Amino acid sequence: MGSLPSTGGLQVLENGDAPVINRCELRVLFESQQRHLNDFFDKLDLDHAQAFAQALLDAPGAIFFSGVGKSGFVALKLSQTLASLGFTRSAYLPPVDALHGDIGALFPSDILVLISKSGSSDELLNLVPCARAKGARLISLTSVEGNPLASLCDMNVHLPLEREVCPFGLAPVTSSAIQMVFGDTVVAAIMRARKLTKESYARNHPAGKIGKSLIFKVKDLMKKQDELPLCKETDMIMGQLTELTSKGCGCLLVVNAESQLIGTFTDGDLRRTLKASGEKIFKLTVGEMCNRNPRTITPEAMAVEAMQKMESPPSAVQFLPVIDDQQVVLGIITLHGLVSAGL
């Protein structure tokens, strides 16, 4: 494979000047793209769109998407989005690979969605009879009227295309946007019809921020037992410095004999007390200087709720004591712990 000629990252014009994006021309292009997309929305046959969405919703088997070039990227994305919902099997079927064995994944109860602007891609046209022989239902999404692919499929949805915003009207910069918008909107309709819950959605996104914010509860991320910086209200402040600094929480949880929360004492409280009291700090107890009305949270609360509570007015805090309905301390959750967990 040959290497591309280097021009320092920019194409140099004949007069020696580097190319510059013209702001006015850029605005015109965005406005043109907006008009083309609005034309699509105005002319889309909603009955055909509904029939397509219903076909996917009622699919007895798997749903495969296929396409060539930019339409192939759209097909890949839509298959992955549909699969992520968790109530149907969906995958991308590369048309060339399908003709070299991958079509073995296709069964009579499956649907194959073929995406093509022109509807005349040889790769898809060659795939049709093979997929038909496997007994799959074929649906095409195309933009050119009277194309051969549409006539070969069980269903076709016409995606109206006024023109490409490309200066030559050739590069699929508008048609691919239309395909993506149409497909994603249909997926959203399926989510509504299936009454998909946040909890169900999160189960298929456990590693991302979406899943973590919907799956993790406070009890999953809190420190507990020996990790807790506990002290009694009668303990002397200076006698608790090791406990205050060694647990990595930046605070002390002040509890009574029944382990019920009385208040909190932070490293900030220590600095303020030292500044205000000077040497008298050696005679002060934690109970005399602690905050007796701290923000708290329960173990069953969502972890993202804990983060929101920490950041709420009048001032942000770095931790929340975790208590039960009897005020008994069960743990502590810290901002550092939440961030480390990816929230």
Side-chain angles (χ1 to χ4, degrees):
M1 181 177 180
S3 59
L4 295 175
S6 174
T7 59
L10 291 174
Q11 176 187 0
V12 180
L13 305 182
E14 291 183 1
N15 60 7
D17 295 331
V20 176
I21 297 297
N22 183 286
R23 188 174 185 274
C24 293
E25 291 179 355
L26 182 62
R27 181 191 293 114
V28 170
L29 286 172
F30 277 121
E31 290 173 349
S32 297
Q33 184 76 307
Q34 183 179 25
R35 286 196 304 272
H36 299 331
L37 292 175
N38 285 339
D39 181 77
F40 160 74
F41 290 122
D42 291 339
K43 295 180 180 177
L44 177 66
D45 189 319
L46 195 58
D47 290 336
H48 289 176
Q50 181 183 18
F52 174 68
Q54 192 67 47
L56 300 192
L57 183 65
D58 296 338
I63 301 172
F64 290 90
F65 291 80
S66 190
V68 180
K70 306 303 182 292
S71 296
F73 290 118
V74 174
L76 173 62
K77 192 272 181 188
L78 294 179
S79 69
Q80 292 175 334
T81 300
L82 192 58
S84 75
L85 304 185
F87 37 66
T88 190
R89 291 181 297 111
S90 183
Y92 173 62
L93 185 65
V96 175
D97 292 343
L99 296 177
H100 290 271
D102 285 6
I103 200 171
L106 206 59
F107 286 86
S109 59
D110 297 338
I111 290 177
L112 176 59
V113 180
L114 303 167
I115 305 177
S116 172
K117 170 188 171 181
S118 66
S120 58
S121 300
D122 289 338
E123 296 88 345
L124 297 184
L125 293 175
N126 292 336
L127 177 59
V128 166
C130 304
R132 179 75 68 193
K134 296 283 291 185
R137 185 181 184 186
L138 306 183
I139 303 176
S140 58
L141 306 179
T142 61
S143 291
V144 174
E145 297 277 10
N147 67 81
L149 183 62
S151 64
L152 295 174
C153 292
D154 301 304
M155 176 191 296
N156 177 71
V157 180
H158 176 65
L159 305 183
L161 174 65
E162 188 175 39
R163 76 179 305 275
E164 300 285 3
V165 79
C166 160
F168 310 113
L170 298 175
V173 291
T174 302
S175 56
S176 58
I178 286 171
Q179 292 167 353
M180 191 73 79
V181 167
F182 175 80
D184 279 339
T185 304
V186 167
V187 171
I190 293 173
M191 293 171 69
R192 284 179 175 269
R194 289 278 190 173
K195 295 180 171 57
L196 183 69
T197 64
K198 286 184 178 181
E199 291 72 22
S200 296
Y201 186 72
R203 280 196 290 270
N204 296 315
H205 298 78
K209 190 170 183 178
I210 293 174
K212 289 176 180 178
S213 66
L214 296 173
I215 291 177
F216 284 143
K217 293 186 176 182
V218 168
K219 65 181 180 181
D220 299 320
L221 302 176
M222 69 183 187
K223 294 186 176 186
K224 47 193 173 183
Q225 299 175 348
D226 293 341
E227 299 175 296
L228 299 180
L230 301 175
C231 72
K232 306 297 184 183
E233 62 178 327
T234 55
D235 290 337
M236 305 303 294
I237 290 177
M238 299 307 290
Q240 294 299 311
L241 292 184
T242 299
E243 189 73 5
L244 176 64
T245 58
S246 64
K247 298 297 178 67
C249 299
C251 69
L252 294 170
L253 302 182
V254 188
V255 297
N256 61 19
E258 287 74 39
S259 295
Q260 293 172 311
L261 184 68
I262 294 175
T264 61
F265 185 83
T266 69
D267 48 12
D269 293 327
L270 174 64
R271 291 190 296 271
R272 286 185 288 272
T273 302
L274 183 59
K275 182 177 180 180
S277 304
E279 293 182 358
K280 293 181 181 178
I281 194 173
F282 289 96
K283 298 180 180 180
L284 295 175
T285 64
V286 178
E288 291 178 277
M289 304 306 296
C290 71
N291 173 17
R292 291 180 177 264
N293 188 32
R295 300 176 205 178
T296 59
I297 199 163
T298 62
E300 292 298 325
M302 301 305 296
V304 68
E305 180 185 338
M307 178 170 283
Q308 292 167 350
K309 204 165 188 177
M310 289 182 194
E311 296 174 341
S312 64
S315 60
V317 297
Q318 301 293 311
F319 67 91
L320 293 174
V322 183
I323 59 174
D324 64 13
D325 54 3
Q326 300 298 317
Q327 299 293 307
V328 173
V329 172
L330 303 176
I332 185 172
I333 188 162
T334 65
L335 182 60
H336 179 267
L338 291 171
V339 172
S340 297
L343 291 168

